[in-house]
Amino acid sequence: MTVPAMYVSVSRLRVAIERSDELIAAFTQRAGLVEGHDGFIDLQVWRSDRDPAEVLMVSRWRNRDCFTAYLKSEDHRVSHERMDPSLRRAIKLERLEHLQQTYEVLAQ
């Protein structure tokens, strides 16, 4: 079974351990605006079992153009502004990683 090609973005976040659960809750209670954007496939939030202060947000898109269009959208801005300001200030974006090309998924 061949799955369509996709673009992957990973936001590597760091937050104080005592706020880690709060950050996860903020993602699970998000507005869900991203789901309506062209090319959006899915979004997962991962927490390291070795370092609970490290949280990764992994989003998959049909291609980079769809991802970039979402980043420039009003929905993206609104989604981030909904977060508690003190939590937003507590989050440090350590690295934004992108698979530099679109990959075809061949098996899962």
Side-chain angles (χ1 to χ4, degrees), residues 6-100:
M6 68 183 68
Y7 177 79
V8 179
S9 172
V10 179
S11 298
R12 187 175 301 271
L13 309 174
R14 181 151 302 274
V15 65
I17 292 171
E18 63 271 9
R19 300 209 65 184
S20 182
D21 286 339
E22 184 182 355
L23 175 57
I24 301 300
F27 281 113
T28 60
Q29 297 164 7
R30 69 186 191 278
L33 299 174
V34 68
E35 282 83 353
H37 278 266
D38 181 48
F40 175 77
I41 297 171
D42 65 11
L43 170 67
Q44 296 177 328
V45 180
W46 303 349
R47 179 170 37 199
S48 170
D49 64 346
R50 294 183 183 179
D51 180 2
E54 181 183 62
V55 177
L56 291 116
M57 186 174 69
V58 181
S59 62
R60 297 187 309 158
W61 297 80
R62 183 175 62 239
N63 57 47
R64 185 182 182 114
D65 290 341
C66 292
F67 173 74
T68 302
Y70 173 68
L71 288 182
K72 294 176 181 177
S73 75
E74 178 72 7
D75 285 345
H76 181 260
R77 186 188 63 74
V78 168
S79 293
H80 283 79
E81 286 182 353
R82 289 182 73 244
M83 186 179 295
D84 177 272
S86 70
L87 177 60
R88 202 171 357 159
R89 286 188 302 272
I91 299 168
K92 177 184 176 205
L93 175 63
E94 284 193 330
R95 189 168 46 224
L96 183 59
E97 303 171 37
H98 302 279
L99 298 182
Q100 293 300 312

